[in-house]
């Protein structure tokens, strides 16, 4: 006997604040942090992240769920020139890297992974602090949502103002199409990457593939 199925309902687990020692689950959104210089923070907010040329885990955007880890960067920069960006990160498919000279330490993305995760206190010599670290291949998966730490209140207010301007620009752009960073016009969820909209196979209604619930009116 064949069964025809039209429509769906999804139950979401919205735990975005797992502790740094807990392994990130693939396909989730997480709050993470990135430490940088003041001027670089301005550039990131305006234009988005760019891949680093290289690093312990190869090219990507280096972030952490541990704010203390982000506060250490940039190394050798004075505290008067350090900013910690609060981020929303779509980790995609996650690969655990927990040993020195791991066979996928710099090639994880070529094997289909979106994020590499180094757990805390795993003993890797490249992470003497013992604090967790993540590397996200695609900068579009990383969005600045707030400032976790700034040198003073003036810089804090300036950077938060830039974030508000950027979010408004994204909202305006989203009113005419499916633009990353804006809200999806169909499912209404905020997008880190553009959502796919297509006609339902049954009723023909335009639906977003990430819509949590769709009751199809098709009764063929």
């Amino acid at each position: 006997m064949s069964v025809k199925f039209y429509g769906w309902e999804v139950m979401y687990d919205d735990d975005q604040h797992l502790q740094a020692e807990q392994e990130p689950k693939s396909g989730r959104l997480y709050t993470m942090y990135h430490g940088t210089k003041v001027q670089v923070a301005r550039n990131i907010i305006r234009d988005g992240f760019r891949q680093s040329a290289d690093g312990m885990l190869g090219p990507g955007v280096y972030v952490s769920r541990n704010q203390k880890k982000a506060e250490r960067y940039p190394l050798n920069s004075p505290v008067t020139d350090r900013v910690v960006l609060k981020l929303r990160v779509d980790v995609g498919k996650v690969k655990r890297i927990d040993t020195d000279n791991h066979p996928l330490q710099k090639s994880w993305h070529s094997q289909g992974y979106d994020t590499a995760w180094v757990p805390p206190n795993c003993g890797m010599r490249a992470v003497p602090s013992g604090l967790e670290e993540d590397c996200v291949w695609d900068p579009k998966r990383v969005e600045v949502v707030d400032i976790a730490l700034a040198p003073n209140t003036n810089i804090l207010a300036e950077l938060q103002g830039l974030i508000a301007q950027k979010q408004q620009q994204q909202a305006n752009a989203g009113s005419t199409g499916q633009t990353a960073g804006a809200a999806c016009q169909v499912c209404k969820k905020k997008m880190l990457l553009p959502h796919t909209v297509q006609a339902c196979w049954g009723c023909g209604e335009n639906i977003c593939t990430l819509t949590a619930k769709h009751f199809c009116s098709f009764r063929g």
Side-chain angles (χ1 to χ4, degrees):
M1 180 181 71
S2 63
V3 177
K4 292 183 178 180
F5 174 77
Y6 297 97
W8 66 85
E9 183 172 3
V10 179
M11 300 301 293
Y12 286 104
D13 177 1
D14 290 326
D15 186 359
Q16 299 180 20
H17 301 281
L18 289 177
Q19 298 300 310
E21 65 272 11
Q22 294 178 273
E23 184 167 1
K25 298 179 182 179
S26 294
R28 302 294 180 86
L29 293 172
Y30 290 102
T31 297
M32 296 192 184
Y33 303 91
H34 176 83
T36 190
K37 295 182 178 181
V38 173
Q39 184 55 48
V40 177
R42 295 185 182 108
N43 296 339
I44 290 172
I45 293 169
R46 291 193 186 105
D47 305 320
F49 278 94
R50 296 181 180 179
Q51 265 193 351
S52 63
D54 199 1
M56 178 185 68
L57 298 168
V61 178
Y62 284 78
V63 295
S64 178
R65 281 177 292 159
N66 190 323
Q67 184 176 332
K68 294 298 182 183
K69 172 76 171 183
E71 290 176 5
R72 298 164 59 91
Y73 292 88
L75 298 175
N76 303 318
S77 290
V79 294
T80 54
D81 193 25
R82 288 187 183 182
V83 171
V84 176
L85 302 173
K86 185 177 180 180
L87 315 168
R88 183 185 293 113
V89 181
D90 178 358
V91 295
K93 188 176 180 182
V94 180
K95 177 62 181 177
R96 178 187 179 114
I97 305 292
D98 55 6
T99 59
D100 287 307
N101 302 313
H102 189 286
L104 296 183
Q105 185 164 334
K106 292 195 176 186
S107 60
W108 45 272
H109 181 258
S110 66
Q111 300 302 307
Y113 295 95
D114 302 298
T115 298
W117 174 60
V118 176
N121 302 313
C122 65
M124 291 182 69
R125 293 189 298 272
V127 192
S129 68
L131 302 176
E132 82 121 42
E133 188 164 348
D134 304 80
C135 181
V136 183
W137 175 266
D138 186 354
K140 292 181 180 179
R141 289 183 174 273
V142 185
E143 178 188 11
V144 180
V145 295
D146 202 356
I147 305 300
L149 183 68
N152 55 60
T153 55
N154 290 335
I155 293 176
L156 174 63
E158 176 201 354
L159 296 178
Q160 287 179 328
L162 290 175
I163 293 172
Q165 291 176 18
K166 183 69 173 181
Q167 291 173 339
Q168 185 59 54
Q169 291 171 1
Q170 292 171 334
N172 292 340
S175 64
T176 58
Q178 297 287 56
T179 303
C184 174
Q185 296 302 292
V186 180
C187 74
K188 308 304 181 184
K189 294 182 180 296
K190 192 173 181 64
M191 300 182 294
L192 292 180
L193 296 172
H195 290 186
T196 300
V197 176
Q198 62 186 41
C200 171
W201 295 350
C203 63
E205 178 185 347
N206 283 335
I207 54 175
C208 172
T209 55
L210 297 181
T211 297
K213 181 186 295 185
H214 172 62
F215 291 122
C216 181
S217 59
F218 178 75
R219 293 293 185 270

